[in-house]
Amino acid sequence: MAHALRLARRGLYTADPNPRVGCVIVDGNDVVGKGWHVVTGGAHAEVAALRDAGDSARGATAYVTLEPCNHQGRTAPCTQALLEAGIKRVVAAVKDPNPHVQGGGLHTLEQAGVDTACDIMAGEARALNCGFFKRAATGLPWVRLKIASSLDGRTAMASGESRWITGEAARQDVQYWRARSSCILTGRGTVLADDPSLNVRLEPRDFGVGGKLRQPLRVVLDSCLQTPPAAHLLNLDGEVLLLCDSRYAERRYKQASVAVRAVPTSGASLDLPAVLALLASEHQANEVHVEAGATLSGALLAADLVDEILCYMSTDLLGNDTRAFASLPLQHMAERKRWRLHELRKLGDDLRLRLRCATTFGAQEN
């Protein structure tokens, strides 16, 4: 199963919005087939492994990191492929949370006389597809808030100057987190102040994949629709979604890749749960990567909508008259937001902290 999970990770940057799945077929002590899900619409991991195994699959055991599908989607059911290949035992890391499956795949195999087992390295399998599992369970994506801050927790000087707080290694690392995400989310203020690209700027070979690299959907929360047509992120490869108040939804941009959509408001701002629900339902967003200013970052944190903080911290001190990474008007210790350290890594002269809230969906997972 550990081997299958390593294979599944090969789809980390390409399989979205499908889950990352790996499969290993074993006959006795010999691995006779292996495969992983590369891209939506392509062969599922089980089918790829069966093709690799050929006739050696008959009578063998398949280890797969997610319960085999039992329904007709873009591809035929994997349960049928396993049965036709003569697989005698299927070991799944975890059941599929998809309501079209949810135990049905293993049940179909059992009814056909195949021996099955489940919950083998389940925590690791869920962690690899944290957004897929959360979206299936809650209708919302996994939200990862990226921050680049100084040692004293500041993100910019009072003037807005912020380049560069962290070094090249940290900035390069961000590209991998962008690439694995379904969407990259920001606010109008960041677009107007920084004119960011918010795209993946590495080459496919840097991710170990061939062909053209998938660009995540870039999403801008812009209630009054003030994003200028010349904004950098509107004029790059990939799709852009501008979310606004319904009063401005009739406006259109000349770029065919730019869509405008109205979402409900909450007071003077866009309703953040509604925004995330829309991304999950209409765009199949599993993981949303947020790179935003203090207002949007603070609003997401205040509403307990952030599952994970990805903080790149330099060893610099920026001083008092500088900007914090989130606007959180807390007054008392009892109001503080508690986060736990999930991972700590050194990148050049900087630190990368991954933090999760105690109430994060699946917080007990790896």
Side-chain angles (χ1 to χ4, degrees):
M1 190 62 75
H3 188 177
L5 283 164
R6 287 194 295 271
L7 292 171
R9 288 190 63 84
R10 296 192 183 185
L12 190 64
Y13 307 108
T14 60
D16 189 85
N18 282 2
R20 300 116 182 180
V21 183
C23 180
V24 173
I25 298 175
V26 177
D27 184 11
N29 294 322
D30 297 325
V31 172
V32 296
K34 56 186 179 181
W36 64 94
H37 183 52
V38 178
V39 65
T40 298
H44 285 191
E46 299 94 321
V47 172
L50 289 171
R51 289 174 180 169
D52 188 42
D55 292 339
S56 298
R58 190 158 302 277
T61 296
Y63 290 85
V64 60
T65 60
L66 188 68
E67 177 186 9
C69 64
N70 191 41
H71 65 287
Q72 179 69 47
R74 288 189 176 95
T75 60
C78 288
T79 50
Q80 189 61 37
L82 291 164
L83 291 173
E84 290 176 357
I87 290 289
K88 291 301 182 184
R89 185 169 186 253
V90 173
V91 181
V94 65
K95 287 185 178 179
D96 192 328
N98 186 331
H100 293 294
V101 188
Q102 285 188 331
L106 292 176
H107 179 72
T108 294
L109 294 169
E110 291 166 359
Q111 291 294 100
V114 176
D115 183 29
T116 67
C118 194
D119 293 326
I120 311 297
M121 301 186 74
E124 291 88 339
R126 289 192 186 95
L128 182 59
N129 290 296
C130 54
F132 179 76
F133 276 87
K134 186 187 175 188
R135 179 162 68 94
T138 69
L140 296 175
W142 181 275
V143 178
R144 184 178 290 113
L145 175 61
K146 175 260 177 180
I147 298 159
S149 81
S150 62
L151 187 62
D152 47 353
R154 319 307 283 182
T155 60
M157 306 305 291
S159 64
E161 181 186 359
S162 62
R163 294 186 179 180
W164 294 102
I165 290 177
T166 56
E168 178 62 27
R171 298 198 298 274
Q172 195 85 338
D173 188 71
V174 173
Q175 297 297 314
Y176 292 92
W177 292 95
R178 286 182 179 181
R180 67 173 283 169
S181 303
S182 310
C183 305
I184 300 174
L185 177 69
T186 194
R188 177 187 67 233
T190 297
V191 173
L192 295 179
D194 300 336
D195 195 19
S197 300
L198 297 183
N199 62 343
V200 179
R201 295 191 287 274
L202 298 181
E203 296 298 321
R205 63 176 177 271
D206 296 315
F207 299 91
V209 300
K212 190 175 181 181
L213 191 69
R214 175 188 64 88
Q215 286 289 345
L217 175 70
R218 296 187 291 278
V219 182
V220 182
L221 304 192
D222 185 358
S223 57
C224 300
L225 211 59
Q226 296 175 338
T227 299
H232 202 188
L233 61 77
L234 301 188
N235 295 283
L236 298 169
D237 185 37
E239 302 293 317
V240 180
L241 177 64
L242 302 177
L243 298 180
C244 65
D245 185 296
S246 59
R247 293 172 294 174
Y248 305 93
E250 296 303 315
R251 180 180 174 185
R252 292 293 178 267
Y253 285 73
K254 64 180 181 180
Q255 298 94 328
S257 60
V258 177
V260 176
R261 174 70 191 274
V263 292
T265 57
S266 178
S269 304
L270 300 183
D271 185 279
L272 294 178
V275 166
L276 295 175
L278 180 147
L279 294 178
S281 62
E282 297 190 14
H283 297 274
Q284 295 183 285
N286 292 322
E287 298 179 26
V288 173
H289 177 92
V290 182
E291 295 193 27
T295 300
L296 178 54
S297 297
L300 288 166
L301 288 166
D304 294 325
L305 293 172
V306 177
D307 296 289
E308 185 173 35
I309 295 176
L310 186 67
C311 179
Y312 295 89
M313 182 177 289
S314 77
T315 54
D316 300 332
L317 297 172
L318 297 189
N320 292 334
D321 193 18
T322 48
R323 300 181 181 183
F325 73 78
S327 178
L328 278 172
L330 307 180
Q331 301 295 322
H332 306 286
M333 287 292 285
E335 300 174 284
R336 61 187 169 179
K337 300 288 185 179
R338 291 183 175 273
W339 291 80
R340 63 180 180 84
L341 182 62
H342 181 68
E343 182 190 49
L344 176 63
R345 182 177 174 186
K346 190 173 185 293
L347 296 170
D349 292 328
D350 304 315
L351 296 177
R352 186 189 75 191
L353 292 77
R354 289 175 63 200
L355 303 150
R356 291 186 181 174
C357 185
T359 57
T360 291
F361 175 86
Q364 73 280 4
E365 307 298 355
N366 294 330

